[in-house]
């Protein structure tokens, strides 16, 4: 596909060729002024519409199809004008050129009868089943054109000098048959297309039904005018009304109505007072969409957030439906989902899918969606992260509740029962000593539980001291290495807490699964990142086959702070966990 500027230059050039051909051919042909003005008036809308569509939507095949038909019309008219004004003294090359140009009326009829209605309105076939019909029509158009080009001189009635390319002898019958069969096949295919348009119109609804209805009516008028003009004995003035007007005017008229009246290309026609105006591209920009969305997204729940994003995409692109999908399969759809997506674009940890749009998605639409995918991707990531953090917090709350219920609570109940028994029996020294030991154990368990929530050494001594204290209680040899600056510097509570619990979870996994003989922990500060590395010499594992649920929750916690987590391991090579969080000087 051409870039916008060369495409628009090409569209303007093709439209100019068609317009100049119609005007010059009409002037050369001569005839009554009314007939000339009528032909010019009916011949200009097609190239004008083709240029307009191709200029506005260079990636839409339909505009180029209209321009191709318009060029066949304009050049064909020029060729007929040259033939009708020919005289015996005209050079043979000019006469041959005139015959070549005038034969282009055959492709014009084929494009107008078959391809312009068939590719309406978005420049694509209605379905893959129409590929065969399109190929048949293409071959038939070529056969019709070749037959017209090689018509025998004695039946080539357009020019008083005959056809210099005409075939004579036995080949003349073959040429005539080729032209007749090609034209008949094209006309039959056009009738099939008309029937398909009628059926699609009945099945459609709303604006799509009106658009298809207009095209069906235009094609019916065109084909009806051809039949009347072919099988009727008409005068010259009657031929203008019966043949020329339907053939040249019907389809451009209905296409113009659909484009300007039914918003085929994001065009609105309006009247304000006595002024007539056109408005293009009423769809909002990415900035406008985000400005409208921002207030509602601040307080939206994750699922509601996805719904609003999907609705914003659907509204912004004017598609029938849009869906926003997370990596875990969560999917929210705006509109009524029907059929396969027209376009799917990655967005962060998910993707955006769009349904069809009347007139098709243009290059500008695709650019808009790809630009919107960046902020939508961040919103999707935030929604997924928020949901996982909420789940992790709920799981942690239940863990603490379970530990209290199954541990400390039972110990306190037992301690109270022992105290009651001691009071009732008078309690000797041995019983009181036992109750004292139970109370100390309960206190130790409470301290351990509190340390699991937020250890006091972390609040008082900082991250380096907390890591050293945590590793000092390990049942395997451990080493803690701390860079000079993080040993004497304090960091925000959420940063120190996230890294401390990451180390704790990694050490717990090492003790449970690794069968390691040594563990090395290092705390570093470099490039604005505070990081920890936990390495062991254990058995290792394949990260792709093991789910590290505790570390996943911590990874979300680190991601919420702008950091990250990485696990590197292999069987027989130990495991290394790296976590980092950005910090400011």
């Amino acid at each position: 596909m051409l870039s916008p500027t060369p495409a628009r230059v090409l569209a303007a050039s093709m439209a100019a060729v068609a317009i100049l051909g119609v005007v010059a051919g009409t002037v050369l042909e001569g005839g009554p002024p009314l007939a000339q003005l009528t032909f010019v008036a009916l011949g200009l809308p097609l190239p004008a519409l083709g240029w307009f569509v191709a200029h506005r939507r260079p990636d839409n095949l339909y505009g180029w199809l209209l321009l191709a038909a318009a060029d066949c019309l304009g050049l064909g008219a020029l060729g007929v004008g040259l033939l009708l004004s020919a005289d015996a003294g005209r050079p043979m090359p000019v006469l041959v050129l005139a015959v070549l140009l005038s034969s282009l009326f055959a492709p014009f009829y084929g494009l107008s009868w078959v391809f312009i209605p068939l590719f309406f309105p978005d420049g694509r076939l209605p379905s893959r089943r129409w590929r065969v019909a399109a190929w048949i029509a293409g071959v038939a158009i070529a056969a019709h054109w070749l037959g017209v080009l090689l018509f025998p001189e004695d039946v080539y009635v357009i020019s008083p000098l005959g056809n210099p390319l005409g075939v004579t002898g036995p080949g003349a019958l073959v040429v005539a048959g080729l032209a007749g069969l090609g034209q008949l096949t094209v006309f039959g295919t056009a009738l099939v297309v008309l029937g398909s348009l009628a059926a699609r119109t009945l099945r459609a609804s709303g604006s799509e039904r009106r658009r298809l209805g207009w095209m069906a009516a235009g094609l019916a008028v065109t084909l009806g005018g051809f039949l009347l003009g072919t099988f009727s004995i008409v005068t010259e003035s009657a031929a203008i009304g019966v043949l020329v007007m339907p053939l040249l005017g019907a389809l451009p008229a209905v296409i113009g109505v659909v484009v300007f009246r039914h918003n085929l290309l994001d065009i609105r026609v309006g009247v304000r007072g006595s002024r007539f105006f056109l408005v293009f591209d009423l769809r909002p920009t990415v900035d406008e969409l985000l400005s409208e969305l921002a207030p509602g997204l601040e307080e939206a729940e994750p699922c509601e957030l996805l719904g609003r994003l999907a609705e914003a995409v659907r509204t912004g692109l004017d598609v029938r439906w849009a869906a926003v999908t997370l990596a875990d399969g969560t999917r929210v759809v705006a509109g009524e989902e029907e059929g396969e997506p027209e376009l799917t674009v990655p967005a962060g940890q998910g993707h955006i899918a769009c349904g069809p749009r009347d007139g098709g998605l243009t290059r500008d639409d695709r650019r808009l969606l790809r630009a919107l995918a960046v902020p939508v991707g961040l919103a999707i990531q935030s929604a997924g992260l928020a949901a996982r953090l909420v789940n992790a917090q709920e799981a942690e709350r239940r863990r603490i509740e379970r530990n209290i219920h199954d541990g400390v609570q039972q110990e306190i109940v037992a301690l109270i029962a022992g105290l009651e028994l001691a009071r009732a029996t008078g309690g000797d020294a041995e019983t009181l000593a036992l109750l004292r030991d139970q109370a100390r154990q309960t206190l130790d368990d409470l301290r351990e539980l509190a340390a699991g929530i937020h250890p006091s050494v972390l609040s008082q001594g900082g991250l380096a001291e907390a890591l050293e204290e945590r590793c000092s209680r390990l049942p395997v040899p451990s080493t803690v290495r701390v860079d000079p600056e993080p040993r004497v510097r304090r960091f925000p509570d959420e940063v120190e807490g996230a890294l401390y619990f990451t180390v704790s979870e990694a050490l717990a996994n090492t003790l449970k699964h690794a069968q390691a003989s040594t563990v090395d922990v290092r705390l570093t500060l470099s490039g604005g990142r505070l990081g920890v590395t936990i390495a062991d010499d254990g058995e290792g594992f394949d990260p792709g086959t093991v789910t590290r649920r505790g570390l996943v929750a911590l990874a979300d916690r680190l991601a919420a702070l702008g950091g990250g987590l990485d696990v590197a391991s292999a069987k027989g090579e130990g495991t290394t966990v790296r976590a980092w969080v950005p910090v400011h000087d």
Side-chain angles (χ1 to χ4, degrees):
M1 180 62 65
L2 293 174
S3 58
T5 300
R8 288 167 179 166
V9 172
L10 178 60
S13 301
M14 293 178 68
V17 167
I19 292 172
L20 291 175
V22 168
V23 174
T26 304
V27 172
L28 289 173
E29 182 180 348
L34 179 60
Q36 292 182 350
L37 291 176
T38 301
F39 185 82
V40 171
L42 294 174
L44 295 184
L46 186 62
L49 279 172
W51 167 81
F52 185 78
V53 176
H55 179 81
R56 296 290 305 165
R57 297 287 182 261
D59 55 344
N60 190 327
L61 176 64
Y62 204 69
W64 303 106
L65 186 60
L66 294 176
L67 284 174
D71 278 348
C72 289
L73 171 65
L75 295 176
L78 177 60
V80 171
L82 290 173
L83 287 175
L84 292 177
S85 62
D87 53 45
R90 180 155 296 184
M92 181 59 67
V94 175
L95 187 59
V96 171
L97 176 63
V99 170
L100 286 171
L101 294 179
S102 64
S103 67
L104 293 178
F105 267 114
F108 166 72
Y109 292 140
L111 293 174
S112 300
W113 294 352
V114 177
F115 286 96
I116 288 178
L118 187 59
F119 281 80
F120 179 83
D122 54 6
R124 293 179 296 181
L125 292 171
S127 67
R128 293 184 178 181
R129 293 177 298 178
W130 280 97
R131 290 180 178 177
V132 175
W135 276 105
I136 291 174
V139 172
I141 291 172
H144 184 203
W145 168 77
L146 187 62
V148 170
L149 181 65
L150 302 178
F151 250 28
E153 185 174 331
D154 55 344
V155 298
Y156 207 89
V157 296
I158 299 177
S159 171
L161 302 180
N163 182 7
L165 301 178
V167 176
T168 59
L173 292 177
V174 176
V175 170
L178 188 66
L181 180 61
Q183 187 174 27
L184 184 62
T185 303
V186 171
F187 192 83
T189 308
L191 291 177
V192 174
V193 172
L194 177 59
S196 172
L197 280 172
R200 290 165 59 195
T201 301
L202 294 176
R203 291 195 303 265
S205 60
S207 59
E208 184 181 6
R209 184 171 188 172
R210 291 190 292 271
R211 285 193 288 266
L212 292 174
W214 275 107
M215 177 52 69
L219 181 57
V221 171
T222 299
L223 297 179
F226 173 79
L227 289 176
L228 288 176
T230 301
F231 298 105
S232 299
I233 300 176
V234 294
T235 62
E236 182 179 354
S237 60
I240 294 174
V242 174
L243 180 60
V244 177
M245 291 184 66
L247 286 178
L248 300 184
L251 288 180
V254 300
I255 295 172
V257 169
V258 172
V259 168
F260 293 104
R261 179 67 180 84
H262 295 293
N263 186 31
L264 181 61
L265 299 172
D266 301 316
I267 300 169
R268 304 290 195 276
V269 180
V271 178
R272 182 175 298 157
S274 59
R275 292 182 299 165
F276 172 84
F277 61 92
L278 301 179
V279 180
F280 301 97
D281 291 337
L282 293 183
R283 288 165 299 165
T285 63
V286 175
D287 291 340
E288 291 170 341
L289 282 175
L290 294 178
S291 298
E292 294 177 1
L293 273 174
L297 296 182
E298 292 178 356
E299 301 178 356
E301 296 295 329
C303 288
E304 184 183 1
L305 170 64
L306 296 180
R308 293 186 182 182
L309 290 172
E311 181 61 31
V313 173
R314 189 189 71 82
T315 303
L317 293 180
D318 195 24
V319 292
R320 298 177 192 173
W321 60 268
V324 176
T325 306
L326 298 181
D328 61 4
T330 303
R331 194 167 189 266
V332 179
V333 181
E336 186 175 351
E337 184 174 3
E338 293 181 358
E340 296 296 322
E342 184 85 3
L343 179 64
T344 300
V345 175
Q349 297 178 351
H351 62 266
I352 310 170
C354 294
R357 173 176 176 270
D358 295 336
L361 290 174
T362 66
R363 180 180 297 175
D364 292 337
D365 296 325
R366 297 172 189 272
R367 263 199 303 265
L368 175 65
L369 184 58
R370 291 190 178 95
L372 189 60
V374 176
V376 169
L378 294 176
I380 290 175
Q381 184 176 356
S382 298
L385 179 59
R388 292 195 300 273
L389 287 175
V390 169
N391 293 335
Q393 290 172 355
E394 180 64 17
E396 182 66 12
R397 185 191 66 78
R398 291 179 179 177
R399 184 188 68 81
I400 295 172
E401 180 183 9
R402 185 171 58 252
N403 289 342
I404 293 174
H405 179 273
D406 297 341
V408 176
Q409 178 177 316
Q410 301 301 322
E411 293 176 3
I412 293 176
V413 170
L415 181 60
I416 293 174
L419 290 173
E420 291 291 340
L421 180 61
R423 187 181 68 175
T425 60
D428 55 16
E430 184 179 354
T431 301
L432 293 177
L434 179 60
L435 291 175
R436 182 190 60 189
D437 291 340
Q438 289 182 359
R440 286 175 176 173
Q441 182 61 45
T442 301
L443 180 60
D444 290 341
D445 290 343
L446 280 173
R447 286 173 177 170
E448 186 68 23
L449 180 62
I453 299 173
H454 195 82
S456 58
V457 66
L458 180 61
S459 302
Q460 298 172 4
L463 181 58
E465 186 175 336
L467 293 179
E468 291 173 338
E469 192 275 337
R470 179 70 179 86
C471 292
S472 67
R473 295 183 280 114
L474 294 178
V476 297
S478 60
T479 303
V480 180
R481 294 178 292 166
V482 181
D483 286 357
E485 186 174 355
R487 177 172 292 280
V488 297
R489 178 179 170 184
R490 295 302 304 269
F491 303 94
D493 291 343
E494 61 273 15
V495 171
E496 293 186 341
L499 292 179
Y500 175 83
F501 286 110
T502 299
V503 173
S504 296
E505 182 67 26
L507 293 175
N509 289 332
T510 298
L511 297 178
K512 290 179 183 178
H513 309 292
Q515 299 183 5
S517 60
T518 60
V519 177
D520 180 75
V521 178
R522 183 175 182 185
L523 177 64
T524 60
L525 178 62
S526 175
R529 288 184 174 185
L530 181 64
V532 292
T533 302
I534 308 96
D536 66 60
D537 61 352
E539 295 181 346
F541 63 96
D542 183 0
T545 61
V546 178
T547 301
R548 314 288 279 185
R549 294 182 180 177
L551 289 179
V552 169
L554 290 170
D556 290 337
R557 185 172 180 177
L558 293 168
L561 297 173
L565 178 71
D566 176 61
V567 179
S569 183
K571 290 185 177 182
E573 298 183 7
T575 301
T576 301
V577 178
R578 297 182 179 87
W580 61 272
V581 177
V583 293
H584 302 289
D585 295 331

